[in-house]
Amino acid sequence: DDFYKGEGPAVGFTDHAKTIPVMVGTVFGEFAMAPLPFNKEQIPEAELDAILDNRFQGRGKELKAVFAEAYPGKNPADLLTLDTIFRGPTREFVRALAAAGGSVYSYLFALEFPYQNQKTAWHCSDIPFVFHNTELVPVANIPGVSDRLEEQIFGAVMAFARTGKPEYEGLPQWPASREDDEATMIFDRVCEVRHNHDDRLLKLHAEASPKFDLAAMMAKMGDEIQH
């Protein structure tokens, strides 16, 4: 009806919406719900290159180079589970709200789990960290890592709820994003803020990727889907 005009990036933000701080983000491998069929730490580079070329229409090596700039230290095999379905629109929202004068804080949950060949963060895998109850989720427990990251994420969320700013002493300084500068907090084994870190990667990934079909993917995976 006439009450809802559409999403902010498309139709603009109301004056009231611009006064409400926003903390918004995604996980690294949103649709990484199936087990990786190989050990990414042991697969020969030539074999992985062939897999990436097949997946990305012959542009695997090009994507590898850009991926290494966006996510230094990550295994190039993680390109196979990298989310762009949610990440792209989230980035557009962040920049549109910042351009409109809103206060918006961007994050990306990028933890790798010691599970199913070092699984990248999948849909909802950040929730135990946000709610400070990783002890209830065995796969989320990583000695020397998960307890610290849980405190950092929970601390930022609680600070944001209280003040509208995710300022937590256990994290690097996390500024609000600007229209031309998305300051994204990367929640990982080592947390850091990176600026416009995946602009080139998202553009190239979109050009090289086949059309995403969630229904076909879920039908193919069947009982292997993890949520």
Side-chain angles (χ1 to χ4, degrees):
D1 55 30
D2 193 53
F3 176 78
Y4 178 68
K5 304 294 185 181
E7 297 183 3
V11 301
F13 299 88
T14 66
D15 289 339
H16 178 62
K18 298 172 189 177
T19 69
I20 303 172
V22 173
M23 179 178 172
V24 60
T26 59
V27 302
F28 181 94
E30 179 66 39
F31 295 102
M33 294 177 282
L36 193 67
F38 58 84
N39 187 321
K40 64 186 180 185
E41 302 297 336
Q42 298 179 5
I43 187 170
E45 184 176 7
E47 186 175 338
L48 177 58
D49 286 346
I51 292 173
L52 293 176
D53 269 341
N54 181 62
R55 172 70 173 274
F56 297 110
Q57 305 180 78
R59 303 182 71 177
K61 289 184 179 179
E62 187 180 358
L63 266 165
K64 270 179 61 177
V66 178
F67 179 78
E69 296 175 1
Y71 293 100
K74 291 290 187 186
N75 191 302
D78 292 340
L79 272 165
L80 298 168
T81 57
L82 177 70
D83 164 62
T84 59
I85 305 299
F86 286 179
R87 171 62 187 146
T90 298
R91 184 183 62 159
E92 293 173 8
F93 174 85
V94 167
R95 293 181 175 179
L97 182 53
S103 179
V104 55
Y105 296 87
S106 174
Y107 72 86
L108 190 141
F109 182 73
L111 184 65
E112 178 183 273
F113 292 83
Y115 174 64
Q116 293 182 344
N117 291 323
Q118 305 301 311
K119 192 175 184 70
T120 56
W122 64 94
H123 182 63
C124 293
S125 59
D126 56 333
I127 289 178
F129 294 82
V130 172
F131 286 94
H132 205 283
N133 59 8
T134 58
E135 75 278 2
L136 302 178
V137 186
V139 71
N141 284 265
I142 306 172
V145 174
S146 52
D147 285 352
R148 182 178 67 253
L149 183 57
E150 177 182 64
E151 291 294 336
Q152 292 171 315
I153 294 177
F154 181 77
V157 171
M158 290 299 99
F160 180 78
R162 296 188 193 101
T163 69
K165 297 181 179 180
E167 295 177 347
Y168 176 65
E169 61 182 7
L171 284 171
Q173 184 178 6
W174 184 0
S177 290
R178 301 194 305 269
E179 179 182 9
D180 60 348
D181 180 18
E182 184 191 11
T184 303
M185 175 64 76
I186 308 295
F187 285 122
D188 205 338
R189 289 172 180 261
V190 176
C191 297
E192 63 175 333
V193 172
R194 305 201 67 204
H195 298 264
N196 301 328
H197 77 287
D198 58 356
D199 284 5
R200 290 184 61 211
L201 176 61
L202 290 181
K203 182 177 184 298
L204 181 57
H205 192 283
E207 294 172 357
S209 294
K211 183 178 179 180
F212 179 75
D213 188 332
L214 178 60
M217 181 188 75
M218 294 181 71
K220 180 179 180 181
M221 290 191 298
D223 293 338
E224 291 185 330
I225 292 178
Q226 300 292 322
H227 188 288

